[in-house]
Amino acid sequence: MQTFTGLVSVLLVFLWLGGNLVSPLRPICDLRVLDHFVREARDSEVIMRGCRGGCGAMKSYFVPLTSVDFAVLEHMDVNGQAVEVQTGLSLLDQALSNAMKTVSNSPLANALDNNISNIHSLGQILHSLDLQQARSTVLPDDSAPASTQTQEVSSLPELLQVQSSFLRGKVRLLLSAAPACQRQNS
Amino acid sequence: MYLLCKWMTKMRSNRLKIVFMLCLAFVTTGGQHFESKVAQLLQDETEHIKCFVEGKDLTCFWEEEEERNHIHDQYTFTYSYEKKNKMACAVSSLYLLASNKTILFCKLPKTPFFTTLDVQVLRDGRMLYTRSLNAENVLFLDPPRNLTVMSSGKEGQLNVSWLPPLLKYMDDSMIYEVRYAVDGSNMGKVEVIKVSTRLVLLGLQSNTRYKVWVRVKPDGVAYKGYWSAWTEPVFGVTPPSDVDPLIVLLVIFIGLILCLLSLTVILSHHKFLLKKLWPDIPTPEHKFPGLFTVYKGDFKEWMSHNNGSMWGRSVPVYTEELPSPLEVLSEVSLTSHGTSQREERKPVEEDEEKESERSDSGLTDRWRDPPHAHWLMEQLRALQENPESRSQSSLLQSHDTYVTLNQGDNEQQVDDVFEETLPLQTLFTTAGTSSLGTSHSDLGSLQQSSGSGRLSSQSSFEYPNHTWPPKGPGYAYMAVADSGVSMDYSPMSSSRIAELGKHRMYTNDYKNEIFPHKWPLSGQYIKSG
């Protein structure tokens, strides 16, 4: 028993160190990276439009809200935006992974896989900007989130459109308004 | 703002009218862009509901049908997004003077971006038009501001700069198009530039006035939209082609120096260069002196005059002729001993330049003409047979030149015949007398001996040891040099004779150049004279 507690305490110490001694990443402030992701999301939409067969089943997905009100945005702080973006990215990740399971068309499947890896890269970018406030929560596939910041879509084309709008809007505005990048520019 | 002004038109108080006027002024400035955009989209956009975002607000308009009477129909404009409830928007009308059309439009108060908007136009409760669009895709930007065109100082270049339209969040998402043309020309060129608000135009004509326009559009990644209107043209003049006068002067100066240098080189070496460029045709003239100049190419004639020297090296000829040895035989009385007679002599030759033997033989030939010549030959033969004389004349040559001298006794006999010998007779004196030191050109000045004396001349022999034993003081030897015109007789002392003997010269030198070629020579002679 004493050995066990000793091990646990050692593990905790290591976890704590791992949490605190993470070396800060260099901030990625170039928006051309995000533009690249945006283009690839648009490519998925194009492939989706041209897909004939094996293009995924009709399924409902919970996706983030994408609308941006500039007037409201000006009054919103960056952290609030960061939380919103982080939640939305995790939602999109989940939805795209679920959609990929039903897709048999290989170009579309490849495009979706590309989008998923892009979302992961965005997470890293946000981490570099020190904006990863909220940890990604792993939600069950079928459970409905209780957040008001979500909406429900019923098809893959809609899902892809939401992804595209989300990246172009909220994510981009957040990155352009990131304090780490503002410090660099000023 | 526009709606506010419209509302204000309904007010009747004067103050409000003033406000209305101000409002109108404001609207017109803002409306210029608005109306132009509306007019532009009216032509370009195919959708019934034409929408664009100006600033942060979305404006949607549609054209009013002309058939309809101008009674205001009840138009309703609704929009919804993100599956929310539909919201209504106030409809306004606008009359376009340029196209003589009336449009109805609606400006959304709070435009949601990055989401799909569903708009509908209802007329009298019935749906007329519908459209789904994203607001971030219909941006209609204002033209760029503060366009300036300046000369960069370099030839054929202009610096163009401007400011982006006032729009937040989109500064790094814009793409510009610059159009430029020569003032007065319709042909223009277009340059596209991303994000940057500066451009350097290259390849322009010098000293020319150019017109420049700029317009802007979202780059299409995050935002999309329509091309903005062109800015008002701004003029710029390219600098004139810089031909630095200093450089021109320097170039001319260096060119002149180079020309002078080349001229100097050419002139100093013009002979060499001429030889290289225009070489002389080789001629054999130097081998045939006088062939072309004197004899005009007549080889035969030239040969006849230049027999001996044709193949041999030319030897410089003394201008002053050396006296050629000449043996003068004294003609003693016919009855006298033959020993006194000397006949032949061998012309002693010098190794180097010599008088030609022909000259001696020529003289001899002349002298032989008289009938005594034959007699003399006989005497010579007799002398040859005489051993005593042989000792003195060990070597006798078959060819000999000799001159006969007459004594005083035989003078009269011989005088008639030997007229030519007269000068010689006067020269030679007996042993007693001596005229050694004198040299006379005119022989007549010498006194003739009384005849008692006997002329005897020393025959020059070719002694084995090649010495010339002087005969004694009794004999006077004359050196005769004939220049062809006059004869120069100079008495020689015995010592000189000895000297001459070393050189193998004759005691008596006489030279005659008549008939030089008839006498065979033992060696080579050079004709002189």
Side-chain angles (χ1 to χ4, degrees), chain A residues 9-180:
Chain A
S9 58
V10 165
L11 277 170
L12 282 171
V13 164
F14 276 125
L15 278 170
W16 177 77
L17 282 170
N20 286 349
L21 292 178
V22 172
S23 57
L25 296 171
R26 265 180 67 191
I28 301 166
C29 293
D30 194 353
L31 285 172
R32 286 178 291 183
V33 178
L34 179 59
D35 289 348
H36 179 70
F37 298 156
V38 166
R39 285 196 184 97
E40 289 194 332
R42 199 178 300 163
D43 293 342
S44 296
E45 282 185 88
V46 171
I47 293 167
M48 188 67 230
R49 267 185 248 128
C51 178
R52 300 284 178 267
C55 308
M58 292 292 284
K59 203 176 170 184
S60 65
Y61 307 99
F62 286 101
V63 290
L65 295 171
T66 58
S67 61
V68 171
D69 191 346
F70 286 108
V72 175
L73 198 72
E74 282 172 17
H75 299 292
M76 194 188 285
D77 70 330
V78 177
N79 290 331
Q81 288 180 38
V83 170
E84 204 174 343
V85 165
Q86 195 63 36
T87 315
L89 284 175
S90 62
L91 278 171
L92 281 170
D93 185 14
Q94 209 168 21
L96 284 168
S97 304
N98 290 338
M100 224 172 85
K101 292 173 191 172
T102 65
V103 169
S104 56
N105 187 296
S106 59
L108 183 61
N110 290 337
L112 290 175
D113 192 33
N114 210 9
N115 293 144
I116 290 163
S117 62
N118 289 347
I119 285 166
H120 292 160
S121 304
L122 272 172
Q124 291 298 317
I125 291 170
L126 285 174
H127 183 65
S128 74
L129 296 174
D130 204 20
L131 293 170
Q132 198 168 16
Q133 305 291 330
R135 300 277 177 193
S136 59
T137 52
V138 181
L139 296 170
D141 289 350
D142 297 328
S143 64
S147 170
T148 54
Q149 299 293 327
T150 61
Q151 61 176 321
E152 194 177 343
V153 292
S154 56
S155 64
L156 188 52
E158 285 178 49
L159 168 61
L160 292 174
Q161 197 175 18
V162 164
Q163 182 201 206
S164 185
S165 297
F166 190 72
L167 291 174
R168 284 162 68 190
K170 286 186 175 177
V171 176
R172 200 170 196 280
L173 286 166
L174 173 64
L175 289 179
S176 60

Side-chain angles (χ1 to χ4, degrees), chain B residues 30-57:
Chain B
Q32 266 184 354
H33 284 291
F34 180 80
E35 275 194 38
S36 61
K37 284 174 186 175
V38 166
Q40 183 75 33
L41 275 178
L42 206 60
Q43 292 176 333
D44 299 340
E45 185 61 68
T46 53
E47 294 274 351
H48 289 288
I49 303 174
K50 303 170 207 302
C51 300
F52 62 93
V53 169
E54 188 183 29
K56 291 282 168 47
D57 301 320

Side-chain angles (χ1 to χ4, degrees), chain B residues 120-131:
Chain B
Q120 285 176 342
V121 173
L122 297 160
R123 187 170 64 186
D124 298 328
R126 281 173 296 164
M127 195 162 67
L128 187 60
Y129 306 120
T130 182
R131 186 180 167 184

Side-chain angles (χ1 to χ4, degrees), chain B residues 125-261:
Chain B
R126 281 173 296 164
M127 195 162 67
L128 187 60
Y129 306 120
T130 182
R131 186 180 167 184
S132 286
L133 71 153
N134 278 44
E136 71 275 7
N137 293 342
V138 288
L139 292 185
F140 203 133
L141 300 170
D142 291 336
R145 302 172 290 129
N146 287 19
L147 176 62
T148 53
V149 178
M150 289 197 314
S151 168
S152 66
K154 292 184 185 177
E155 193 181 340
Q157 284 186 16
L158 279 177
N159 283 348
V160 183
S161 66
W162 59 91
L163 288 176
L166 279 170
L167 211 61
K168 212 175 170 182
Y169 304 115
M170 295 174 199
D171 286 358
D172 54 353
S173 305
M174 293 186 188
I175 185 169
Y176 302 94
E177 207 176 59
V178 178
R179 183 161 70 106
Y180 58 98
V182 178
D183 188 17
S185 162
N186 290 331
M187 296 289 292
K189 284 187 186 176
V190 166
E191 292 268 352
V192 175
I193 181 164
K194 285 184 182 179
V195 183
S196 173
T197 58
R198 300 177 160 274
L199 183 65
V200 178
L201 296 173
L202 303 170
L204 305 175
Q205 298 173 20
S206 307
N207 207 16
T208 316
R209 201 163 130 101
Y210 277 89
K211 264 200 291 191
V212 183
W213 300 263
V214 182
R215 66 178 181 180
V216 66
K217 194 182 97 163
D219 64 354
V221 179
Y223 302 97
K224 295 180 192 175
Y226 307 99
W227 276 113
S228 73
W230 290 107
T231 57
E232 289 298 314
V234 175
F235 295 92
V237 182
T238 48
S241 57
D242 50 334
V243 182
D244 199 358
L246 180 65
I247 290 171
V248 171
L249 275 171
L250 280 171
V251 165
I252 290 169
F253 190 62
I254 288 166
L256 276 171
I257 288 174
L258 283 171
C259 282
L260 279 169
L261 275 171

Side-chain angles (χ1 to χ4, degrees), chain B residues 350-416:
Chain B
E350 270 197 20
D351 289 338
E352 293 128 2
E353 311 95 26
K354 290 294 295 177
E355 288 288 312
S356 64
E357 174 65 10
R358 295 175 232 142
S359 59
D360 300 329
S361 46
L363 172 66
T364 315
D365 196 12
R366 190 174 59 186
W367 289 79
R368 271 198 185 177
D369 282 339
H372 284 277
H374 188 66
W375 174 81
L376 282 167
M377 285 301 294
E378 286 174 1
Q379 293 298 321
L380 280 167
R381 276 193 215 100
L383 194 64
Q384 272 185 352
E385 288 159 14
N386 194 351
E388 189 184 338
S389 65
R390 193 168 289 171
S391 66
Q392 292 178 350
S393 62
S394 56
L395 295 170
L396 299 173
Q397 302 291 328
S398 58
H399 59 274
D400 46 11
T401 59
Y402 54 90
V403 175
T404 57
L405 292 171
N406 289 328
Q407 286 190 342
D409 297 334
N410 302 326
E411 190 178 349
Q412 289 169 2
Q413 281 187 2
V414 186
D415 263 354
D416 300 333

